[in-house]
Amino acid sequence: WTRAIMFTRDAAQVPATVVDELKHQFLIPQAGLRLWGVAEAHAGQPFAQAVGDDVKSFASSLGVPYCGVNAGFEAAQWLSDPSTVMSLALIPLRRSADAPAFGLLVLGSPDPTRYSADMGTEFLVRVGEIASAGLAQLFD
């Protein structure tokens, strides 16, 4: 997954690579992401669609990824079939651990126990760090 991101030369293709390769390599049923504040050249891309201020605040407030029940999060609507998603991992995307989020990566599963509040998040933190590094080129 990391290698695929590193080899993606077209910045506008990095979000699709992040999502598609996560789904493929880790057998994740649904995944999506949104970025805010991207460079003007990328503003019309699907990954740059508008998100609510609540999502931005929530993403920035996460010290670790949220894992648990899909409780009607706006971000779940970014997935291809949100009505089937029972559990979610919401991973903030940021330049450093103490920086505000510039995006949110969403992993969804119909299995209600795939992402649970008691699961370890170290791997998901690393996913967020690598995705953030790859996606940073989309900003001025």
Side-chain angles (χ1 to χ4, degrees), residues 1 14-35 46-47 70 74-91 93 104-110 114-115 124 127 131 135:
W1 176 72
V14 173
T17 300
V18 166
V19 169
D20 294 345
E21 288 295 319
L22 268 174
K23 288 167 46 178
H24 174 73
Q25 297 292 332
F26 302 105
L27 303 175
I28 296 170
Q30 296 186 58
L33 64 79
R34 291 289 188 279
L35 307 173
F47 58 79
N70 177 10
E74 176 184 329
Q77 298 306 308
W78 307 342
L79 302 173
S80 60
D81 190 4
S83 66
T84 64
V85 175
M86 300 301 292
S87 65
L88 290 170
L90 303 173
I91 305 168
L93 302 170
L104 188 65
L105 177 60
V106 183
L107 311 179
S109 175
R114 171 92 185 244
Y115 304 109
L124 296 176
V127 165
L135 294 163

